[in-house]
Each structure stands twice: as structure tokens, then as C-alpha cells.
């Protein structure tokens, strides 16, 4: 036994140290094994592995933790089902977008007042149809330049402060219009031009605020809500203007809408913030939700987290990209159709399309013209929701934007052709409603795309595309009047507009992209 026991010890000690063999007695090593006794099999029941009532819940609760990384999307969907709708409706970001929608409603109402007032003004001043087009286009003279300047200011100072100044100035211009019209023609044209200058910052400011307050998966829906307000402003302006004129004279609507704008500015400055992290009213849950969503989509949280852009943007680099030109072409065609319909439909319903069959007075013409804008507000929201759903289900942003914009161009082109065949106000209003309703798909096309290709240049890109749209709107608004005088029919101009819609759709599908564009190359 001694030889057997010590042999391994000597073997081991020869490997480690030659001095250990001096203590070859194995007896002292026996007590050193005593601490190992609890590891023998008889002691295992003391740490039995059977489930304990106190341990089992812990084990059960640990399962979702292990699967949370793989099932994060499913867990988020379950949370949205439980309280997502309520959270969204009562959230701070929805309050911001509703205020934006109200501002855009006032913006468009102030525009369309003149398209209704132009009928009695033309009659009292003896203006021709072509000169009435010049008066209406005076708004666009100011609107031509201000989106570029306003877009640069929005990128530099943020959407809240620039929107405040814009609403205040265009409300003042609207309020002063009655006195300008009584003073002189040039004063009226100048006031309308000032309205255009002030309103040029509205859409760039809206885009900037939405890009800060909404993550990628909610932006098309947010733009749909804001632009629904824009279209409802047309409805309110077209419907209320004749009523207010009958009660308070031709200039009654200008005073009412102007005062409403001043009230909006007071509420906007006191109740909203320029970004979520500066809002004292936002909940911690909503702030974390916005930040988390943007981080997962690899987007910037807010413009102020980046170095502020230069006051003078890199115009050469911006204009060197095909994506920029696709935005400009899309906005040009969208504005052409928008302003032609907005400015001329009351006259079209009253004197061109329906005079041979029905005698429609100004109030009826305004109602027939207002119905399509209500349709546009409704369809625009659902187009935005559908766009967000496509992206959430794996459709690329590029494909989604091309689908939306194709519907927004091809649909109105076909509907306007059908409008030329209408022989009753009801049928004409139905085709016009379809044309304008399908136009709202553009809000989920090029309008959201501005935020996606270059978040740091959202304002200036919107300004450039808006200026292209304004040029097209001036040509379309003035050209429609001369076209009707020369040809004697508005139908030919609708055919021309349809052709331009189809060409713009082709251009968009070739050159647009939903990917981030590097404007520094």
C-alpha cells in the first residue's frame, strides 16, 4: 500500500518540485480531502433539482427575457394592440401635428378666398378672364422665392419659430387685403404677393417638425394628417367664403381668417416645442419611444443633435443629384394641377362646364369645388397609413414612394380626361373629387421623400422643389386664363394637364430613390 500510494506522489513531485519528497507521509493529506465530502453523491439531495414553488415562477418569467431579442417586433405589436391607439391619439406628437394641420388649413383658406372673391371683384372692376388670372397669380409671385429662403432658415433655426413668423405675416396680409383692394390695384397685388412670401415657409416648417417629432414608420401618416388640414382649409375657404360674403360683404372672409391666424400663433408659441427633448409636456414613455424608433431605423433623432448647417446651403451639390430633380419635377406637376384646380374650378363650374345645361350660382359653384378637397383630405390620411404599412411589411422605401407617386399622378390624369366628358354638375364633381383625392397619394410620395434622402437638408430641398412647383403653378394659372380666351374651352387645358401628369410619373419612376443621398460627394 505504501509503495502504491507514494508512487504517484513521487511522480507528481518530480514534475513540480524536487523538494516535496521530503514529506512523503500520506497521512496528513487525508484531512485535506474532508472538504470534498459534500460533493459525494449522498449529499446531492441537499441541493435537489426538483422544482420548488418559489423557484418555478422565476424560471417561467425568464423565458420571455431569453426570447425578447428575437421577438421584439412581436412584443411591440402586442403593446400597440393593448394601448397603441390610445397612446398615439393622446400623445404630444399628435398635438403638434394637429396644430400643424390647423396652420395649413388657415394657410390654404387664406389662398382660396381670392378664388371665390375674384368673381364679384371681376364683375365690379370689369376685369377680363386673363387679367383675373394675373390677379390670382400675384400670390405666387411672392411664393416663388420664399420657400428657398424659408427652407434655409428652417434648417438653421427650426420649424417652430419660422412657422410662427410665417402664420403671423400671412394673417396680417389677409387681414389688410380689404383696405388694399380699396386703395389701388397695385396695393392689392402687393398684399397678395406678401401673402405668398409668408406662406412659402409653411410646408418646409411642417416637414421639419414632422421629421423631428415622428419616427420613420409614422411619418407618412403624420404628413397625411397635416396635409388633410391643408385640404380641409380649401373646403372651409370655398364653403364659408360665399356665406361670409353674403353676410359681411366681399371682404368679410379676409377679416375672419386673418384674425384666426393671430389666435393660432398665440396657442402655437405657448403649447408646443421645437423637438421632443425640449418639450416639458412629453411623457418619458413617448420620448423613449420616439428615440428608440429612430435609433432602430438608423436615423437622426433631431437636427440639433448634429452640427448646425450653414446659412447658405450647398446649392451646387444639391442640384447635381438626380434625386433632387425628381423632387422638383414631382412638385412642379403636383403644383400645376393643384393651383389650376384651386384657382379655376369655381369659374369652371359656373361658366365653362355647366353653363350649357345648368345655371350654377357662385355659392353652388363653391360647394361643387369644395367637395373634392374634402375627398383629398380623407384619402390622404389613408394613403399615408397604407404607405407606412407597406414599409413595416418589408417593402423598400424606394418602391413604396414610387407606388404612391405613380397613383398620385396617373390617377388624376385619367380622372381629368373623364372630367372633360361630364354633362352635369354631379358627374363633374364626382370626377373632380376622384382626381383630387388620388392627388393626395403624392403626399406619401415626393413630400415624405424630401425627409428621407437628406434629413439635414429637409428645409432647403423642400424650398427648391416648392420653387419649381411655384413656377409651374404660375404658368398653369396664368396660362389657363389665356388658353380659355384663345381656344374658348377649358377642356383642352385639362387634356394638356393629363398629358403632363403621365410624363411626370415616368420621370419619377426612373430617377427617384428612397435611400439616403450623400450630397457631399
Amino acid at each position: 500500500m505504501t509503495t502504491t500510494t507514494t508512487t504517484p506522489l513521487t511522480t507528481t513531485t518530480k514534475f513540480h518540485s524536487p523538494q516535496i519528497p521530503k514529506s512523503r507521509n500520506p497521512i496528513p493529506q487525508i484531512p485535506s480531502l474532508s472538504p470534498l465530502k459534500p460533493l459525494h453523491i449522498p449529499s446531492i439531495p441537499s441541493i435537489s433539482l426538483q422544482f420548488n414553488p418559489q423557484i418555478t415562477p422565476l424560471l417561467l418569467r425568464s423565458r420571455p427575457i431569453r426570447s425578447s431579442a428575437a421577438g421584439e417586433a412581436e412584443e411591440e405589436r402586442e403593446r400597440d394592440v393593448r394601448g397603441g391607439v390610445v397612446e398615439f391619439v393622446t400623445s404630444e406628437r399628435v398635438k403638434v401635428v394637429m396644430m400643424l394641420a390647423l396652420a395649413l388649413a388657415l394657410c390654404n383658406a387664406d389662398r382660396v378666398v381670392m378664388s371665390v372673391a375674384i368673381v364679384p371683384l371681376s364683375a365690379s372692376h370689369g376685369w377680363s378672364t386673363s387679367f383675373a388670372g394675373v390677379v390670382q397669380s400675384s400670390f405666387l409671385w411672392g411664393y416663388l422665392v420664399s420657400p428657398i429662403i424659408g427652407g434655409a432658415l428652417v434648417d438653421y433655426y427650426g420649424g417652430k419659430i419660422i412657422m410662427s413668423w410665417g402664420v403671423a405675416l400671412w394673417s396680417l396680409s389677409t387681414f389688410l387685403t380689404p383696405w388694399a383692394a380699396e386703395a389701388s390695384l397695385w396695393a392689392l397685388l402687393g398684399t397678395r404677393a406678401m401673402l405668398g412670401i409668408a406662406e412659402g415657409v409653411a410646408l418646409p416648417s411642417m416637414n421639419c417638425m414632422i421629421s423631428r417629432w415622428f419616427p420613420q414608420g409614422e411619418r407618412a401618416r403624420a404628413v397625411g394628417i397635416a396635409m388633410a388640414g391643408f385640404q380641409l382649409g380649401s373646403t372651409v375657404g370655398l364653403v364659408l367664403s360665399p356665406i361670409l360674403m353674403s353676410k359681411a360683404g366681399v371682404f368679410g372672409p379676409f377679416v375672419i381668417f386673418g384674425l384666426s391666424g393671430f389666435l393660432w400663433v398665440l396657442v402655437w408659441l405657448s403649447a408646443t416645442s421645437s423637438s421632443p427633448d425640449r418639450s416639458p409636456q412629453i411623457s418619458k414613455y413617448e420620448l423613449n419611444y420616439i428615440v428608440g424608433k429612430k435609433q432602430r431605423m438608423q436615423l437622426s433623432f433631431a437636427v440639433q443633435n448634429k452640427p448646425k448647417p450653414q446659412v447658405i446651403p450647398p446649392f451646387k451639390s444639391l442640384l447635381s443629384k438626380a434625386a433632387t430633380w425628381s423632387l422638383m419635377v414631382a412638385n412642379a406637376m403636383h403644383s400645376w394641377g393643384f393651383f389650376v384646380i384651386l384657382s379655376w374650378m369655381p369659374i369652371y363650374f359656373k361658366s365653362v362646364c355647366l353653363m350649357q345645361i345648368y345655371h350654377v350660382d357662385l355659392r353652388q359653384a363653391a360647394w361643387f369645388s369644395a367637395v373634392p378637397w374634402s375627398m383629398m383630405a380623407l384619402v390622404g390620411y389613408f394613403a399615408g397609413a397604407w404607405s407606412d404599412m407597406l414599409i413595416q411589411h418589408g417593402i423598400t422605401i424606394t418602391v413604396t414612394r414610387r407606388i404612391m407617386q405613380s397613383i398620385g399622378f396617373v390617377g388624376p390624369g385619367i380622372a381629368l380626361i373623364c372630367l372633360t366628358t361630364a354633362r352635369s354638375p354631379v358627374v363633374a364633381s364626382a370626377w373632380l373629387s376622384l382626381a383630387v383625392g388620388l392627388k393626395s397619394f403624392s403626399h406619401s410620395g415626393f413630400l415624405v421623400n424630401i425627409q428621407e434622402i437628406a434629413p439635414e437638408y429637409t428645409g432647403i430641398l423642400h424650398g427648391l422643389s416648392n420653387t419649381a412647383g411655384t413656377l409651374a403653378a404660375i404658368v398653369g394659372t396664368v396660362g389657363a386664363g389665356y388658353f380659355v380666351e384663345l381656344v374658348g374651352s377649358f377642356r383642352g387645358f385639362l387634356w394638356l394637364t393629363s398629358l403632363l401628369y403621365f410624363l411626370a410619373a415616368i420621370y419619377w419612376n426612373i430617377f427617384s430613390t428612397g435611400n439616403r443621398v450623400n450630397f457631399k460627394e
Side-chain angles (χ1 to χ4, degrees):
M1 288 294 294
T2 306
T3 306
T4 305
T5 306
T6 55
T7 301
L9 291 174
T10 32
T11 305
T12 304
T13 51
K14 283 182 181 179
F15 179 78
H16 290 290
S17 174
Q19 299 179 3
I20 292 177
K22 294 180 181 180
S23 57
R24 290 186 178 182
N25 191 354
I27 296 174
Q29 297 177 7
I30 295 175
S32 65
L33 296 177
S34 58
L36 300 179
K37 287 181 181 180
L39 297 178
H40 293 328
I41 292 177
S43 65
I44 289 178
S46 63
I47 52 170
S48 175
L49 297 178
Q50 60 184 357
F51 289 108
N52 187 291
Q54 297 178 348
I55 299 176
T56 303
L58 296 175
L59 296 174
L60 294 176
R61 283 198 299 267
S62 67
R63 291 178 185 177
I65 298 175
R66 291 193 301 268
S67 61
S68 61
E72 184 176 336
E74 182 178 353
E75 185 178 321
E76 184 174 328
R77 283 195 297 270
E78 292 177 358
R79 183 201 65 199
D80 292 341
V81 170
R82 291 193 302 267
V85 176
V86 176
E87 187 277 330
F88 182 79
V89 172
T90 59
S91 64
E92 191 70 16
R93 63 189 185 280
V94 168
K95 184 180 80 174
V96 171
V97 80
M98 293 303 293
M99 287 296 296
L100 290 171
L102 184 57
L104 295 182
L106 291 170
C107 174
N108 222 19
D110 290 351
R111 295 183 190 183
V112 303
V113 171
M114 184 56 73
S115 66
V116 178
I118 197 69
V119 177
L121 286 175
S122 297
S124 61
H125 291 83
W127 295 339
S128 64
T129 304
S130 58
F131 189 77
V134 173
V135 173
Q136 296 213 76
S137 68
S138 61
F139 161 83
L140 297 171
W141 302 348
Y143 199 71
L144 179 64
V145 179
S146 63
I148 296 180
I149 300 174
L153 292 174
V154 164
D155 287 339
Y156 194 78
Y157 293 107
K160 179 183 176 180
I161 187 65
I162 301 301
M163 180 68 96
S164 303
W165 280 104
V167 176
L169 289 176
W170 84 54
S171 299
L172 178 63
S173 175
T174 302
F175 185 79
L176 294 177
T177 298
W179 289 271
E182 293 295 329
S184 68
L185 177 62
W186 285 108
L188 175 62
L189 296 178
T191 304
R192 296 297 291 176
M194 187 175 78
L195 175 71
I197 292 174
E199 290 196 356
V201 305
L203 293 181
S205 298
M206 178 272 293
N207 248 330
C208 176
M209 291 295 288
I210 287 179
S211 68
R212 292 187 177 192
W213 274 92
F214 287 84
Q216 177 71 57
E218 293 180 353
R219 286 183 183 174
R221 200 179 322 166
V223 170
I225 294 173
M227 295 306 294
F230 191 71
Q231 313 313 331
L232 287 175
S234 300
T235 303
V236 171
L238 289 170
V239 171
L240 289 185
S241 292
I243 298 174
L244 294 174
M245 287 179 186
S246 65
K247 302 294 183 182
V250 176
F251 299 116
F254 294 95
V255 176
I256 298 298
F257 292 144
L259 293 176
S260 300
F262 296 138
L263 178 61
W264 181 93
V265 172
L266 295 177
V267 177
W268 173 257
L269 290 175
S270 61
T272 62
S273 302
S274 59
S275 60
D277 61 334
R278 294 185 178 182
S279 173
Q281 293 93 3
I282 193 170
S283 66
K284 183 178 180 181
Y285 170 81
E286 184 181 2
L287 181 61
N288 292 337
Y289 171 77
I290 296 173
V291 175
K293 281 280 189 179
K294 289 189 175 184
Q295 287 175 345
R296 283 195 293 272
M297 295 300 295
Q298 297 181 347
L299 291 176
S300 167
F301 166 52
V303 175
Q304 69 268 17
N305 290 340
K306 297 179 179 181
K308 277 196 171 185
Q310 299 177 354
V311 178
I312 301 178
F315 288 106
K316 182 178 180 181
S317 177
L318 293 172
L319 294 174
S320 67
K321 304 296 183 180
T324 302
W325 286 97
S326 68
L327 293 173
M328 295 172 67
V329 170
N331 202 333
M333 190 61 243
H334 181 75
S335 298
W336 173 290
F338 179 85
F339 280 98
V340 165
I341 295 173
L342 184 70
S343 301
W344 288 104
M345 281 305 102
I347 296 177
Y348 177 69
F349 274 102
K350 186 175 187 299
S351 59
V352 179
C353 177
L354 307 172
M355 64 180 301
Q356 299 174 357
I357 304 175
Y358 295 94
H359 295 286
V360 181
D361 62 22
L362 180 60
R363 186 177 299 187
Q364 291 173 317
W367 269 100
F368 281 122
S369 302
V371 171
W373 303 110
S374 301
M375 177 66 71
M376 192 174 190
L378 181 64
V379 175
Y381 173 77
F382 287 104
W386 183 34
S387 172
D388 289 340
M389 184 186 69
L390 290 177
I391 294 174
Q392 290 167 4
H393 282 74
I395 306 299
T396 65
I397 296 177
T398 299
V399 172
T400 301
R401 299 299 170 232
R402 288 178 178 177
I403 291 173
M404 296 294 113
Q405 194 60 61
S406 296
I407 297 174
F409 280 166
V410 176
I414 296 174
L416 289 180
I417 293 175
C418 297
L419 174 63
T420 62
T421 65
R423 291 296 182 267
S424 73
V426 175
V427 174
S429 182
W431 283 119
L432 186 61
S433 298
L434 181 61
V436 174
L438 293 175
K439 266 178 64 67
S440 64
F441 276 82
S442 295
H443 302 157
S444 300
F446 83 90
L447 196 56
V448 182
N449 190 236
I450 294 173
Q451 305 172 17
E452 294 164 341
I453 66 172
E456 69 274 25
Y457 296 120
T458 296
I460 190 61
L461 281 175
H462 203 140
L464 288 172
S465 64
N466 239 22
T467 297
T470 305
L471 284 172
I474 292 174
V475 174
T477 304
V478 177
Y482 284 101
F483 190 94
V484 171
E485 282 192 352
L486 293 175
V487 179
S489 171
F490 202 84
R491 292 188 179 93
F493 197 80
L494 294 179
W495 276 90
L496 173 62
T497 300
S498 297
L499 175 61
L500 294 176
Y501 267 130
F502 300 147
L503 295 176
I506 294 173
Y507 189 92
W508 173 264
N509 280 283
I510 294 175
F511 295 106
S512 66
T513 180
N515 300 324
R516 185 80 172 265
V517 177
N518 186 3
F519 288 100
K520 296 180 180 180
E521 292 181 349

